[in-house]
Amino acid sequence: MNKNITITSSPAHDVSGSQETSTWKFTADFDVQVEYVGDGWGGEYSSNKDNPHLDAAGMGIEMEGSTWSINLSIKPWNGYKQYALRLDHVPAGGEWTMLNYAEEAPSASGGFRIVRAGTNVEFRYYTGSQWGVFYTQKGIDKPVSLFLTATSVFTNHTFSTVFKNLIVNSGKTDYIPLIWKDTFPNRGDLMVGGLATEYIAQKFWGSLWKDTNPWTALKENGGEWARVWLTNIQSKQLSETPVSKWNTLDWSDDFWCCREYSEECLREARDAGLRLDLIFFFGDKDNSWGVQDAPAAWRGLSVAETAAAMENFTYSTAKYYQSKGLNIEMYEMGDEIDQGLCDFLVGDRVPAYNGSVTYIEYMRSTVWKIEAQLLNGAIAGVHRANPDAEIVLHTAGLGYGTSAEEVELEFFRSMVDEGVDFDYAGITHPYPDPCSAHPDAAPWLPSQCANHMWFQHMNQTISPIARLGKKVMISEAIYPNSREGIYCDPMPDYPSFTPESQAAWLRDQLLFASNNENVAGWFYYDIDHQPGMSYNPAALWSDTFGIVRDDGPLPAIREFLMGRSPANLELVDLKVKPTQSEAGKPLNISVKVRNTGDIEGTKTLDLKVNGVTKASKKVTVEGGAETTVSFTISEGNPGSYSLTVGSLSGGFTITTMGSIKVTVMDVAGNPASGVSVSSKAQPTGQTPLAGTTDATGVVIFSGVVPGSYTFGGSAKGYVDSTASCTVAGGASAEAKIVLQASTPQSTGGGGVPGYPYGSALLGIAVCVVGLAVLRRRARTSS
């Protein structure tokens, strides 16, 4: 360790200090040591509480939530300070136990050392000349993390302990270095988006979100997924009332995230172009870490009965939303479920932990074994309705200490071992909660970390989960945009809670996620929260976490673009065919939609004729792509019409059409059949006409634009000829074409028809010679 670690207590609290834990673990034998120096260990401190003292310095290990540590303790005793070494043990989920104790001579410095060989761990201390063994713990057979600690206990006393020269003499760790990149990769498989549900309550029963939609803002700024919560409640009131009339109903807490309420959230998200992720609470209200209340209808059911009820519920829910045209591609089985599900939690329907085994072993053999049965039932219901749906299991442990993070990892390991069919491991990013944060609350861990430290910690937590074969979703993450209602400190790299710091935090989170192959998705928690807003419209909530408000987006939401340009849909090349037509006949209008941005964009095109909308189409265009949108309309009344599609304009004319009869004959007046007839000139708006005469020498063109026409006739053996006519609307006109037979070529006057004059003379000469030859032969014979 190149830098010292200093822990300083606060006089404002009875208990004050810190435990600094490694993000990595020793995987086998190891030998590690550290020196410590105290400042302020002396002085007067006492308390009306029992046993005031300083745990002035300590070094320990943690294995599956259980800890062992060697500590230097200092406490007042008969007018002097008593120094002592103490070996503390806290089993996961259990009570503190002292395993060894020995008084020591007062000293303001010293050293600790921990050595593992096989499954035995020695806790040593420096005597001034050599290392002495203070305690040996057996049975440490799994990877362990290392921690340093110093705490004031019931003294309100200020002191500091400096740890220096942390040396790993030997031993391998599972440390996975984070390679930070400041650019976004072109990664199409990363799922990004957010959750929004509260805005629906405000939209219909409150005063906000009347004219805006948070989903639209998310989509326009690069978000692709919408997360929506769901309780087990079905509201007869909402189902029997048109959505447009919900505001006429009195608000009920049962409305929040019931089937019909969440249906409206999902529908609006779908209409904004987002993909859908549904989160089952498996309760009549919201559930989260440590609070997993079963719905009233399931209470008291056995494990098998609960699993069957969950399967039926997920199946019927998935089918219901399918029937409403909602394609839900991803389902989350509960919310922060690593402590249990549907009342099957330790101390609830599972007996309290008794300390006979490690906490994780107990969870694996009780809670998680039950939970695997429940989850398999719930997942089976979803897959019966939609075999292609992807499944997320969502936990909460990151940032709440190594024991919580160890539980999180082992939960996923247990689910894999139990054969639970899930696709992604979802985790919650720790966030300051205005409902529970207060001056006496434990520090928000990210506020204690520089960026590189925190993302290294995230990487170290995510990597072992990914090694189970499950990529990780950051299912919930949030950062305040103001200090209102927030007691904790901001992260050092974002030194204030402002919209700008919120945006910088979100950018770095997305940089981390997009450059980490173990991360499959990243979702913002409650994009729509803002001060004065709650799921109960009558309540006030000083929430400052949202990234879009009813009056527009905050800067942070634009970070979902991840270096890309937003969609920019331009309309070009408006075409109308034909520009002149008959009343009631179809007109084809087309326009090209070009997206010059990098991300997919959606736009609704309104076709207006004389200012009146005749047709609308929604079009979605990938970034950098182009598509053609076509409309077909007709008008019943003659006249000139203007039309617009977006900023483009054109026009067409509707007339009463006419017809033309073209008759073709030869010079003798005989009908000429099989003659090709085509228009050589026609009025504006009329496409060229073409046809072939029948046995009577006639071809008829119907539904033609009024005006002047010139037709030409063409047939083999005849000279091309033309004729003209003019047709009026609603009338018929006739054009007559007379074809003259082709004239043979000649070089002078006279001759045989069809042959040149010279050719005729040559023929005569040949005949004369022939006759002379025949006469000579005749005389010879006689």
Side-chain angles (χ1 to χ4, degrees):
M1 182 176 71
N2 296 325
K3 295 183 179 181
N4 299 336
I5 295 178
T6 301
I7 298 175
T8 302
S9 68
S10 168
H13 305 281
D14 278 352
V15 178
S16 173
S18 180
Q19 176 175 301
E20 304 299 318
T21 305
S22 64
T23 58
W24 41 263
K25 293 182 175 132
F26 288 111
T27 56
D29 293 353
F30 65 88
D31 181 349
V32 61
Q33 67 185 61
V34 73
E35 300 174 26
Y36 60 82
V37 177
D39 180 19
W41 289 359
E44 296 299 322
Y45 45 88
S46 61
S47 172
N48 56 7
K49 295 184 179 181
D50 291 338
N51 195 27
H53 65 279
L54 305 182
D55 285 335
M59 182 182 189
I61 58 171
E62 182 273 335
M63 182 185 74
E64 290 194 341
S66 296
T67 63
W68 296 262
S69 61
I70 182 171
N71 293 279
L72 176 66
S73 175
I74 307 172
K75 66 179 180 179
W77 186 259
N78 293 331
Y80 72 97
K81 300 292 189 302
Q82 182 185 72
Y83 284 64
L85 289 177
R86 194 178 70 236
L87 202 292
D88 294 342
H89 171 51
V90 181
E95 299 293 329
W96 169 83
T97 302
M98 183 170 64
L99 300 179
N100 197 15
Y101 180 86
E103 292 190 16
E104 288 292 314
S107 174
S109 63
F112 296 130
R113 187 173 179 179
I114 302 177
V115 179
R116 179 163 78 178
T119 61
N120 295 334
V121 175
E122 291 183 347
F123 294 85
R124 304 177 183 179
Y125 67 101
Y126 191 63
T127 63
S129 59
Q130 61 183 358
W131 291 100
V133 177
F134 183 67
Y135 186 81
T136 300
Q137 176 65 46
K138 298 180 179 180
I140 307 297
D141 58 352
K142 295 181 176 63
V144 299
S145 53
L146 180 73
F147 64 84
L148 304 172
T149 182
T151 310
S152 163
V153 182
F154 303 145
T155 69
N156 297 92
H157 182 68
T158 301
F159 76 94
S160 295
T161 298
V162 179
F163 293 94
K164 60 182 183 178
N165 297 327
L166 176 66
I167 301 172
V168 177
N169 297 311
S170 63
K172 292 184 178 180
T173 72
D174 63 359
Y175 178 73
I176 302 171
L178 173 68
I179 300 174
W180 183 259
K181 295 181 180 178
D182 282 320
T183 57
F184 290 102
N186 183 16
R187 184 177 165 187
D189 65 333
L190 182 68
M191 294 176 270
V192 293
L195 180 142
T197 50
E198 264 67 328
Y199 83 97
I200 288 288
Q202 285 290 332
K203 177 179 179 178
F204 292 102
W205 291 278
S207 58
L208 305 172
W209 301 103
K210 302 299 183 183
D211 301 313
T212 53
N213 186 321
W215 298 129
T216 301
L218 180 63
K219 176 65 177 177
E220 289 176 348
N221 287 282
E224 293 294 336
W225 285 83
R227 295 178 74 236
V228 174
W229 280 327
L230 177 71
T231 68
N232 280 46
I233 298 293
Q234 296 178 25
S235 173
K236 184 178 180 182
Q237 275 187 290
L238 294 185
S239 66
E240 294 179 349
T241 305
V243 173
S244 61
K245 299 294 185 181
W246 280 4
N247 64 322
T248 65
L249 302 174
D250 291 333
W251 168 260
S252 168
D253 286 348
D254 284 344
F255 290 168
W256 182 81
C257 289
C258 71
R259 185 177 70 174
E260 294 73 21
Y261 180 108
S262 294
E263 178 187 341
E264 180 64 12
C265 285
L266 291 165
R267 185 191 63 77
E268 293 193 5
R270 178 205 62 190
D271 291 348
L274 295 168
R275 300 168 74 179
L276 305 180
D277 172 15
L278 184 67
I279 309 155
F280 291 110
F281 276 133
F282 297 124
D284 294 335
K285 60 180 183 61
D286 60 311
N287 282 320
S288 58
W289 189 90
V291 179
Q292 297 290 339
D293 296 332
W298 299 355
R299 288 174 191 160
L301 296 181
S302 68
V303 174
E305 290 170 335
T306 304
M310 293 173 74
E311 180 176 355
N312 290 335
F313 174 68
T314 58
Y315 173 76
S316 62
T317 299
K319 294 298 288 184
Y320 172 81
Y321 286 134
Q322 286 175 356
S323 73
K324 301 297 181 179
L326 297 168
N327 177 28
I328 300 172
E329 300 179 67
M330 193 156 59
Y331 291 83
E332 298 185 35
M333 299 293 111
D335 183 58
E336 300 178 342
I337 60 172
D338 41 308
Q339 296 298 311
L341 195 61
C342 290
D343 294 336
F344 290 98
L345 281 72
V346 172
D348 193 338
R349 296 195 64 185
V350 176
Y353 172 61
N354 58 19
S356 60
V357 295
T358 68
Y359 183 71
I360 285 176
E361 289 172 331
Y362 184 74
M363 291 292 288
R364 184 183 288 272
S365 64
T366 57
V367 173
W368 294 340
K369 186 172 286 294
I370 293 170
E371 193 167 359
Q373 289 181 254
L374 303 182
L375 290 171
N376 277 330
I379 294 167
V382 168
H383 281 160
R384 268 205 296 144
N386 181 2
D388 297 325
E390 294 191 300
I391 304 298
V392 181
L393 303 186
H394 176 194
T395 66
L398 175 65
Y400 290 96
T402 54
S403 60
E405 291 166 349
E406 187 76 21
V407 167
E408 187 170 58
L409 168 63
E410 293 305 317
F411 166 81
F412 291 121
R413 192 190 309 278
S414 182
M415 295 302 105
V416 170
D417 293 344
E418 293 289 340
V420 177
D421 185 13
F422 70 105
D423 299 285
Y424 302 108
I427 64 176
T428 293
H429 186 287
Y431 53 87
D433 186 345
C435 296
S436 62
H438 54 81
D440 292 328
W444 180 44
L445 181 59
S447 70
Q448 314 297 306
C449 301
N451 243 12
H452 69 280
M453 292 175 58
W454 176 246
F455 286 120
Q456 175 62 56
H457 183 84
M458 289 181 66
N459 187 57
Q460 200 69 28
T461 303
I462 288 169
S463 296
I465 297 174
R467 284 197 291 268
L468 300 174
K470 305 296 179 181
K471 287 195 173 186
V472 173
M473 293 277 195
I474 310 298
S475 296
E476 294 182 6
I478 203 165
Y479 198 82
N481 55 58
S482 115
R483 185 168 278 283
E484 182 178 358
I486 305 298
Y487 294 98
C488 70
D489 292 328
M491 293 182 69
D493 287 273
Y494 321 103
S496 59
F497 290 130
T498 64
E500 292 72 26
S501 289
Q502 183 188 51
W505 175 86
L506 182 49
R507 175 181 173 80
D508 285 345
Q509 285 282 328
L510 292 172
L511 279 169
F512 167 78
S514 61
N515 283 290
N516 192 321
E517 63 181 8
N518 293 325
V519 177
W522 194 100
F523 296 92
Y524 198 88
Y525 173 69
D526 281 351
I527 64 172
D528 57 338
H529 264 184
Q530 61 185 79
M533 182 172 166
S534 167
Y535 71 82
N536 181 349
L540 293 180
W541 189 341
S542 296
D543 198 337
T544 58
F545 292 128
I547 55 177
V548 57
R549 295 180 174 176
D550 69 327
D551 59 354
L554 295 177
I557 200 170
R558 300 187 183 99
E559 298 302 334
F560 279 112
L561 289 167
M562 293 189 290
R564 300 167 296 173
S565 61
N568 181 38
L569 271 57
E570 299 177 349
L571 306 184
V572 296
D573 197 15
L574 176 65
K575 292 181 178 178
V576 182
K577 292 184 178 180
T579 56
Q580 193 160 353
S581 185
E582 189 175 5
K585 293 293 181 69
L587 289 158
N588 296 313
I589 295 97
S590 65
V591 63
K592 290 182 179 178
V593 185
R594 182 177 298 155
N595 186 353
T596 61
D598 292 328
I599 68 170
E600 178 184 273
T602 299
K603 189 180 186 69
T604 298
L605 305 185
D606 294 325
L607 170 64
K608 295 182 178 182
V609 176
N610 290 348
V612 178
T613 300
K614 294 292 185 177
S616 295
K617 286 190 177 181
K618 179 182 283 188
V619 59
T620 299
V621 187
E622 293 287 337
E626 180 181 280
T627 190
T628 298
V629 179
S630 298
F631 301 89
T632 300
I633 63 170
S634 63
E635 289 292 340
N637 298 315
S640 296
Y641 293 84
S642 64
L643 67 82
T644 59
V645 179
S647 60
L648 303 182
S649 60
F652 59 91
T653 301
I654 298 296
T655 62
T656 302
M657 309 300 273
S659 64
I660 300 174
K661 176 182 178 182
V662 180
T663 302
V664 183
M665 63 189 72
D666 61 16
V667 293
N670 299 314
S673 63
V675 178
S676 296
V677 177
S678 61
S679 60
K680 304 302 183 182
Q682 58 274 327
T684 301
Q686 174 65 61
T687 56
L689 304 173
T692 303
T693 59
D694 60 15
T696 66
V698 172
V699 60
I700 296 175
F701 300 103
S702 300
V704 300
V705 175
S708 296
Y709 291 81
T710 297
F711 291 94
S714 176
K716 186 176 181 181
Y718 293 91
V719 177
D720 292 353
S721 184
T722 62
S724 299
C725 68
T726 300
V727 62
S732 297
E734 185 174 6
K736 292 183 178 181
I737 299 175
V738 177
L739 294 180
Q740 185 173 4
S742 300
T743 302
Q745 289 183 340
S746 65
T747 58
V752 179
Y755 293 93
Y757 185 75
S759 296
L761 294 177
L762 177 61
I764 294 170
V766 171
C767 291
V768 170
V769 172
L771 288 172
V773 171
L774 288 174
R775 287 175 179 174
R776 180 177 294 181
R777 285 181 178 176
R779 287 197 299 269
T780 302
S781 299
S782 60

